[in-house]
Amino acid sequence: MIREAHANGIKLVYREEGDPTAPPLLLIHGRTANHNDWNGITQHFAARYHVIALDLRGHGASDYPGSYELPEMAEDVVALLDHLGIGRATLVGHSLGGIVAYHLAMNHPDRVERLVLEDAPPPLPIPNRPPIVEDDSTGFDWRMVHGTEPQLVSPDPAWLTGLGRITAPTLVLSGGELSHVRAEEVAARIPGAKLVTINVGHLIHTAARGRFLQAVDAFLDG
């Protein structure tokens, strides 16, 4: 079921699956994707969770407000949880969605039951990153790409410290040597985080769906 909410001053579109009385599990897609990135994943979790897969601001059918600060994107998710009457949720975030998820977990520890970060970039400077070149891709706001890029390349140093404030049990999935992301740097800074490497590159949940689901299930059941 596709729904929309007015949350944190913008329209957020989201998809709901599963029993609304089951434990809530929120899926947060990566940059330039949308809730459809989780097709095939939502159905698996909907067997025992109330699954919510949103379009982040600047993506899909949600609003394109022009401002794309990563901590503010995390506040959007908190506002969506408030709209849905959800106190605590398990968060699963891929790439940029993982950054949004760890900002939420560091700033609102009381709202996160468990945290799964799929190949999420650490808040460390990225040297020699090539500039963004626009193409004819649609379905997202190019201003979001340009607005988030400086925050990825030269993140606020306080964000690295913030990872140490995360209290939720955390699973970090790394795409290994085939990925451009060093997710193990995230795991090293979150207290007690478990690191699992699936050496298929950045898009673990599509390149190795079965192994992705097996790792997440084992963590959530643990």
Side-chain angles (χ1 to χ4, degrees):
M1 180 73 72
I2 305 294
R3 304 182 187 277
E4 62 179 61
H6 193 74
N8 200 24
I10 61 170
K11 179 185 79 174
L12 290 176
V13 169
Y14 61 98
R15 182 163 112 215
E16 272 189 296
E17 293 185 34
D19 181 353
T21 65
L25 183 144
L26 192 72
L27 297 165
I28 311 176
H29 62 77
R31 189 163 73 170
T32 74
N34 58 51
H35 72 266
N36 287 310
D37 190 55
W38 300 108
N39 290 349
I41 303 287
T42 53
Q43 295 89 333
H44 173 86
F45 290 122
R48 55 202 178 106
Y49 291 97
H50 173 203
V51 177
I52 300 112
L54 83 158
D55 291 350
L56 291 168
R57 66 166 64 199
H59 296 79
S62 290
D63 276 348
Y64 294 10
S67 58
Y68 296 107
E69 297 300 316
L70 294 169
E72 192 64 19
M73 293 169 91
E75 295 304 316
D76 294 345
V77 180
V78 173
L80 178 61
L81 293 175
D82 289 344
H83 170 83
L84 293 167
I86 294 170
R88 291 166 66 88
T90 292
L91 305 180
V92 179
H94 173 240
S95 194
L96 183 84
I99 298 176
V100 171
Y102 67 57
H103 274 279
L104 197 164
M106 69 172 79
N107 294 323
H108 301 276
D110 56 317
R111 306 302 296 269
V112 183
E113 191 69 41
R114 285 175 175 261
L115 182 63
V116 178
L117 303 173
E118 179 196 352
D119 222 41
L124 292 166
I126 304 173
N128 307 317
R129 177 131 149 155
I132 295 291
V133 178
E134 291 191 23
D135 57 27
D136 58 359
S137 299
T138 58
F140 59 90
D141 185 357
W142 275 104
R143 294 176 299 171
M144 175 277 306
V145 180
H146 293 293
T148 53
E149 187 67 8
Q151 302 173 74
L152 299 179
V153 171
S154 184
D156 183 336
W159 297 352
L160 195 61
T161 310
L163 292 177
R165 297 199 305 270
I166 293 176
T167 56
T170 302
L171 169 66
V172 175
L173 293 170
S174 167
E177 294 173 3
L178 296 176
S179 174
H180 64 285
V181 170
R182 300 275 65 89
E184 62 276 5
E185 298 279 2
V186 176
R189 288 167 169 83
I190 297 177
K194 176 180 172 63
L195 175 67
V196 172
T197 300
I198 301 173
N199 197 23
V200 294
H202 188 52
L203 303 173
I204 303 169
H205 69 276
T206 53
R209 183 188 297 177
R211 281 188 281 168
F212 170 83
L213 292 172
Q214 187 177 25
V216 176
D217 281 343
F219 170 70
L220 295 181
D221 293 341

